[in-house]
């Protein structure tokens, strides 16, 4: 259960998405993001996701979302999927970083 909730049992799928050009979106705060992040990732804090849906859709690629633990990125993934955005929860940014 926790594997799918935090993205750990779908690491092969996440890795394939990244290899195929998915955009890595980190939903942590700007301060957290500045303290370390996946190279090439973009920062869209969770509290701003609702107002950034059009901007995220305009990227024109699937999204892999990450945060510190997978909780916030899970929330963002559920919201964005409901808005028609192709995305998956990658879990913690360090997990995603290991797949890059």
């Amino acid at each position: 259960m926790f594997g799918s909730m935090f993205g750990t049992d779908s690491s092969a799928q996440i890795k394939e998405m990244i290899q195929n050009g998915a955009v890595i979106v980190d939903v942590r705060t700007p301060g957290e993001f500045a303290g370390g992040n996946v190279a090439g990732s973009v920062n869209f804090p969770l509290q701003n996701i609702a107002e950034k849906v059009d901007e995220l859709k305009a990227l024109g690629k699937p999204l892999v979302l990450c945060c510190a633990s997978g909780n916030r990125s899970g929330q963002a993934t559920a919201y964005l999927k409901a808005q028609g955005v192709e995305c998956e929860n990658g879990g913690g940014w360090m997990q995603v970083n290991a797949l890059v």
Side-chain angles (χ1 to χ4, degrees), residues 86-98:
E86 184 182 351
C87 59
E88 292 297 330
N89 181 9
W93 76 270
M94 293 174 107
Q95 289 175 269
V96 175
N97 197 46

Side-chain angles (χ1 to χ4, degrees), residues 20-33:
N20 290 327
V23 176
I24 301 169
V25 177
D26 192 316
V27 300
R28 296 177 297 153
T29 66
E32 288 174 295
F33 185 77

Side-chain angles (χ1 to χ4, degrees), residues 13 19-20 34 39 44 46 53 59 62 75 79 93 95-96 100:
Q13 177 188 3
Q19 289 172 341
N20 290 327
F44 284 82
L46 177 62
V53 172
L59 295 172
Q75 292 175 47
Y79 177 79
W93 76 270
Q95 289 175 269
V96 175
V100 174

Side-chain angles (χ1 to χ4, degrees), residues 3-77:
S4 61
M5 193 166 130
F6 295 113
T8 54
D9 65 356
S10 61
S11 60
Q13 177 188 3
I14 299 299
K15 185 171 186 167
E16 183 177 345
M17 287 177 70
I18 293 167
Q19 289 172 341
N20 290 327
V23 176
I24 301 169
V25 177
D26 192 316
V27 300
R28 296 177 297 153
T29 66
E32 288 174 295
F33 185 77
N37 57 69
V38 179
S41 63
V42 294
N43 185 219
F44 284 82
L46 177 62
Q47 63 268 24
N48 300 334
I49 287 291
E51 63 197 47
K52 298 291 186 177
V53 172
D54 289 339
E55 194 174 333
L56 290 164
K57 285 181 176 181
L59 295 172
K61 296 181 179 183
L63 309 176
V64 171
L65 290 98
C66 63
C67 62
S69 67
N71 186 22
R72 286 176 282 180
S73 55
Q75 292 175 47
T77 299

